[in-house]
Amino acid sequence: MFKKLSLLNICFYTILAVLFVSFFYNQAYFTGRNNFPTGDQPDYLKMALNFKEYGKPAQFLQYLYSGEFKEVRKHPLFVLLISPFAQKSLDFFVKAKFVNMGVGVLLFIVSFLILKRLFGNFSAFLFTFILTVNESFLNQTALVVPDTLMQLLVLLTAYFYIESTRKKSTLAAVLGSLFASLAYLNKPNGLLLVLVFALYSVSIYKFKVFKSKVVWAAAVSFLLFSSPIFVRNVRLFGNPFYNNNVSLLWVENRQERRSPDFLKTPPTMRDYLVKTSISSELSLYAVNSVKMLSNLSMLVLFGAWRLRYSLPLLLFT
């Protein structure tokens, strides 16, 4: 029995090692192909330079609370992560790529550990295999943008929120809100994580949701941890949830956001409806609904019988 278990363990760790080495090799390959900052990458590099000129990483909270961080489309956590390496040369771009590559490796490890704990070895191996061969994901980890960090934070948020309801743990709820707040400080759509948890909590506790210590712990801690960006938004815009990216809902081409007119006179719902027919809008919703329904395959891969706990993972996607 001991030899059998040892052989299984050897196979287990061998497969894991092969997956990890393959992932690292593929990630390094795609990182090497990213030779020059394009798209949003120059924006984050410039923000990191500005932040370093402002002060040390320890002054991050002061930078937000004071209202001196005035960027309206991007949030600052990823900028904080790469700012220690900021310099006015392309060497900074190379170093920032390696930082993001490190985040990708961490995402691989954390994904395996969490999925193994929640759903078992098969799901953990399957998911990490998908990460290893997914060209779109690997290409994203090669860019100096906050998306890889965002995926890591979303995963950790989902895990701790699930654990908080499974074990009725206020500590897990606080940790979930900590990572949700970091996700919100990383990208504006991180705010949606709390809305998903709110809907999930209603499905679990129903009419007793406001009596749950877990829910209250999650809500209060999220407001506390996210207060730097809330205070900044109130000081500058009078709205704690302000973000200029909301205007992107009313454009057909995201590149329009780079136009000077976009910042001066952001498009509104009325502008969008004037130039878009109802039939084309309904057609777009139909196509996107099919894409969203395809995510139901997650419930099969990760155990449909655990619907109560796998549902939030589906929603977080």
Side-chain angles (χ1 to χ4, degrees), residues 3-64:
K3 292 183 179 179
K4 185 178 180 181
L5 287 176
S6 297
L7 181 60
L8 288 174
N9 286 336
I10 290 172
C11 292
F12 175 87
Y13 289 112
T14 300
I15 295 172
L16 181 60
V18 169
L19 282 174
F20 180 78
V21 171
S22 300
F23 173 78
F24 187 80
Y25 175 82
N26 290 341
Q27 192 185 31
Y29 170 74
F30 278 91
T31 299
R33 288 175 52 181
N34 183 19
N35 297 319
F36 195 80
T38 57
D40 286 342
Q41 294 180 93
D43 295 338
Y44 286 105
L45 295 172
K46 183 179 178 181
M47 287 168 62
L49 281 169
N50 292 339
F51 178 73
K52 189 171 185 178
E53 291 174 359
Y54 177 83
K56 300 177 181 178
Q59 296 176 289
F60 174 68
L61 294 180
Q62 180 184 342
Y63 194 34
L64 292 176

Side-chain angles (χ1 to χ4, degrees), residues 186-207:
N186 188 51
K187 294 189 73 173
N189 55 5
L191 187 63
L192 298 176
L193 297 176
V194 178
L195 299 180
V196 171
F197 178 67
L199 294 173
Y200 176 58
S201 298
V202 171
S203 72
I204 296 293
Y205 299 109
K206 297 183 173 55
F207 295 108

Side-chain angles (χ1 to χ4, degrees), residues 36-52 63 69-80 82-83 86 92-93 96 143-146 186 244-245 248 254-259 262-263:
F36 195 80
T38 57
D40 286 342
Q41 294 180 93
D43 295 338
Y44 286 105
L45 295 172
K46 183 179 178 181
M47 287 168 62
L49 281 169
N50 292 339
F51 178 73
K52 189 171 185 178
Y63 194 34
F69 178 74
K70 295 181 171 60
E71 170 63 41
V72 295
R73 292 178 298 174
K74 298 176 175 64
H75 280 192
L77 184 63
F78 181 71
V79 173
L80 173 67
I82 63 174
S83 63
F92 174 34
F93 176 57
L143 303 177
V144 183
V145 292
N186 188 51
N244 191 258
N245 280 322
L248 290 175
R254 287 178 58 87
Q255 295 306 317
E256 292 180 31
R257 72 189 190 278
R258 301 188 183 281
S259 167
F262 182 87
L263 293 176

